[in-house]
Amino acid sequence: IQLTQSPSSLSASVGDRVTISCRASQGVSDYLAWYQQKPGKVPKLLIYSASSLHSGVPSRFSASGSGTDFTFTISSLQPEDVATYYCQDYSNAPFTFGPGTTVDIK
Amino acid sequence: DVELVESGGGLVQPGGSLRLSCVASGFIFSRYSMNWIRQAPGKGLEWVAHISGPSTITYYSESLKGRFTVSRDNAKNSLYLQMNTLTVDDTAVYYCARDGGGHVPFDYWGLGTQVAVSA
């Protein structure tokens, strides 16, 4: 299964709503996760089961989708959200990551 | 608190071998599947290998072509990655990550260990 993400990068203002798309080449049911990797840091799980917020993750992060089309949203972009965001299919091995979307502040 | 600490990285010549380790603490290690993920310089995340809690199931990225072997010692709370016939394309930071179980994927990650393959 291949994952594509769009856009590959985006620049938005603080407070903006940001949306990232992840598309799978085959259905993955809801076995889709989203990770955040800040520059120079370790990836961090944000969302699992396509739409469930991981413990301790701020509520401005959300996601939706099922099957092949998924969306990740930051409702109000904050300076600390500058990072690369990856989707991941964990339905079956190989547990493929998408190519990433880099988000920065305009 | 859950902690994962990788070690064993370093500089190795093409064709060489390296064994990475990941020591876990803060949870019952034997109950969780574990994974290795790598990230080449300036690139994205690449899943490498998976091993179940009792070591009965292992999965590998097809791109490795059988050069890597994942193993674990639950008595030592340790995960390993034996890497053979290394090439420059294996240069990356290697992370170990816990599989959260059920519907939860990689919920805890180590800080990573750097592997550089160069002549």
Side-chain angles (χ1 to χ4, degrees):
Chain A
I1 296 176
Q2 307 298 320
L3 297 178
T4 57
Q5 288 183 234
S6 60
S8 57
S9 65
L10 66 89
S11 186
S13 300
V14 173
D16 281 355
R17 183 180 184 89
V18 168
T19 299
I20 299 169
S21 172
C22 176
R23 177 163 290 179
S25 58
Q26 299 175 41
V28 301
S29 184
D30 64 345
Y31 288 90
L32 196 287
W34 291 92
Y35 297 84
Q36 174 194 64
Q37 186 177 31
K38 297 183 179 181
K41 299 298 185 182
V42 176
K44 173 185 171 184
L45 176 64
L46 298 182
I47 302 282
Y48 65 95
S49 294
S51 60
S52 297
L53 205 63
H54 188 50
S55 175
V57 175
S59 58
R60 65 179 180 276
F61 297 100
S62 65
S64 63
S66 182
T68 60
D69 291 304
F70 301 87
T71 301
F72 172 84
T73 300
I74 307 173
S75 61
S76 177
L77 186 66
Q78 300 302 304
E80 60 267 30
D81 300 335
V82 169
T84 299
Y85 294 85
Y86 297 92
C87 58
Q88 183 204 21
D89 159 36
Y90 61 103
S91 58
N92 291 291
F95 304 121
T96 308
F97 290 92
T101 295
T102 301
V103 174
D104 65 17
I105 302 293
K106 191 181 296 182
Chain B
D1 288 359
V2 171
E3 188 174 23
L4 300 170
V5 180
E6 302 93 337
S7 62
L11 177 63
V12 60
Q13 292 187 337
S17 298
L18 214 52
R19 189 195 196 206
L20 306 183
S21 299
C22 169
V23 176
S25 61
F27 64 101
I28 300 174
F29 181 67
S30 61
R31 293 186 181 177
Y32 290 84
S33 296
M34 298 293 294
N35 296 270
W36 288 99
I37 302 99
R38 68 183 181 182
Q39 187 168 35
K43 303 297 184 182
L45 301 172
E46 179 186 13
W47 171 79
V48 171
H50 167 102
I51 185 167
S52 63
S55 302
T56 51
I57 297 171
T58 57
Y59 299 121
Y60 297 93
S61 170
E62 289 187 7
S63 68
L64 302 178
K65 299 187 175 79
R67 298 180 296 119
F68 290 12
T69 302
V70 62
S71 62
R72 64 192 295 164
D73 184 338
N74 288 340
K76 295 183 179 179
N77 287 349
S78 293
L79 173 73
Y80 306 103
L81 186 68
Q82 177 67 44
M83 305 187 297
N84 298 329
T85 321
L86 287 162
T87 74
V88 294
D89 292 336
D90 296 315
T91 294
V93 174
Y94 285 73
Y95 298 101
C96 65
R98 189 182 84 165
D99 193 317
H103 239 61
V104 179
F106 304 171
D107 59 351
Y108 287 94
W109 296 58
L111 293 179
T113 187
Q114 176 72 58
V115 171
V117 184
S118 174

